[in-house]
């Protein structure tokens, strides 16, 4: 009997499906409650109140105040606003230095590069080989003219969790603002902006079963970054434009749902993750990227020597498994992932990367299926790989930088 073809979606770090209850919460704002929240008649007010409810919900999930939450079009916009805003404001006080890391998301790295072109100086910190930034390195990098530190809460590729609270405490004591890109962390691990001394934080709904195209920036009271969009009085005048009401309602519903089920889901996912890692590491010459414990509950990041991540993804796709690869060949560049290079992997090894990211919608059967199809697919590619042949003949030596 022919085997039933399964589809296993294991690319939840790229995006997640909208949960059915979130979809239901959003729907009325496209159909019956379609009023403009700025209008004074009741149809408008029907949209205004849920907007403020959503702000309270998001604030509560982060231990922030509702007045500290600004809705944006997503994580990239929040990152840009936070970093450029802080840089431009503090440049007026002569502070033109920014500290970040080499393994941030491009929304942060390319924003910093744009600021360098404007004359800002940026320090890009190395990441320890386990994928965790050392707080003392952040402290050492601080200068009199440092305006901002930006270190992500959890890495999107290798899933490693960063010592955000310690970095926040260092920044607060030195009078430097601290931004964290929490797009991968929000709804998945606990966040407390007060306890963790966070001044600016970015999140995005589509990474926790909310809709695409909506996110939020937490901006601590007193952190007076410039307006992002001038126009109407929306978002207290700091980001004008008629609100994406359905999207914002969806973001809040998804975050609330994710936070309410966080602990139980983390327990379940951690078990699945560790089983997937242990099974995949049975494949010879494979390795896990990033710390085995200080990582997101659903993140599995692997490298298989002797193969290309892209080919692996294509063959896995034929088997119905959706994953992702760190290497960026598909985007027209032959450079392997900056994240994998930042943790000391040589190019050849980084090229053979595979990221599988699980969400609460994945099951133990999904893990079984991945573990069933992955080893033969890797073997099939290696059988055609000249590099693999060379590796087996002992003709290749790599230096994996440990630091
Ligand atoms: C997805 C992601 C972003 C970008 O968020 P968008 O809402 O897609 O703009 C930024 N940072 C990290 C860490 C991400 O994973």
């Amino acid at each position: 009997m022919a085997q039933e073809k399964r589809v296993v979606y294991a690319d939840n770090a790229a995006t997640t499906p909208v949960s059915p209850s979130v979809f239901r919460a959003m729907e009325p704002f496209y159909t019956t409650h379609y009023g403009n929240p700025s209008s004074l008649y009741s149809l408008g007010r029907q949209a205004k109140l849920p907007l403020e409810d959503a702000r309270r919900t998001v604030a509560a999930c982060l231990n922030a105040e509702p007045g500290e939450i600004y809705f944006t079009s997503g994580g990239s916009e929040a990152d840009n606003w936070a970093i450029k805003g802080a840089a431009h404001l503090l440049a007026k006080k002569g502070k033109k230095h920014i500290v970040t890391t080499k393994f941030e998301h491009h929304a942060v790295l390319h924003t910093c590069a744009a600021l360098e072109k404007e004359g800002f100086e940026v320090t890009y910190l190395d990441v320890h080989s386990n994928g965790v930034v050392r707080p003392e390195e952040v402290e050492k990098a601080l200068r009199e003219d440092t305006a901002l530190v930006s270190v992500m809460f959890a890495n999107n590729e290798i899933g490693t969790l960063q010592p955000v609270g310690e970095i926040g405490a260092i920044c607060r004591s030195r009078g430097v603002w601290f931004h964290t890109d929490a797009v991968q962390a929000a709804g998945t691990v606990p966040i407390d902006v007060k306890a963790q001394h966070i001044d600016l934080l970015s999140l995005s709904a589509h990474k926790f079963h909310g809709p695409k195209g909506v996110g939020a920036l937490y901006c601590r009271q007193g952190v007076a970054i410039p307006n992002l969009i001038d126009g109407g009085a929306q978002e207290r005048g700091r980001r004008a434009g008629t609100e994406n009401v359905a999207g914002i309602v969806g973001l809040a519903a998804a975050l609330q749902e994710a936070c309410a089920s966080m602990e139980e889901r983390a327990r379940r996912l951690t078990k699945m993750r560790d089983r997937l890692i242990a099974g995949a590491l049975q494949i010879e010459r494979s390795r896990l990227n990033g710390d085995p414990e200080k990582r997101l509950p659903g993140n599995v990041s692997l490298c298989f020597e002797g193969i290309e991540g892209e080919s692996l993804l294509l063959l896995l796709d034929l088997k119905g498994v959706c994953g992702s690869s760190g290497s960026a060949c598909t985007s027209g560049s032959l450079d392997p992932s900056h994240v994998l290079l930042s943790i000391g992997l040589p190019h050849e090894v980084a090229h053979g990367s595979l990221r599988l990211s699980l969400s609460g919608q994945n099951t133990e059967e999904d893990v079984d299926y991945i573990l069933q199809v992955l080893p033969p697919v890797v073997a099939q590619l290696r059988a055609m790989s000249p590099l693999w042949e060379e590796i087996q003949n002992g003709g290749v030596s790599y230096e994996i930088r440990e630091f």
Side-chain angles (χ1 to χ4, degrees), residues 13 73-77 79 105 107 152 154 156 181 183-184 204 206-207:
S73 71
S76 300
E77 181 182 312
D79 284 342
H105 189 274
M152 68 203 314
N156 48 300
D181 174 337
V183 174
Q184 291 290 330
S204 177
H206 75 104
K207 301 292 175 78

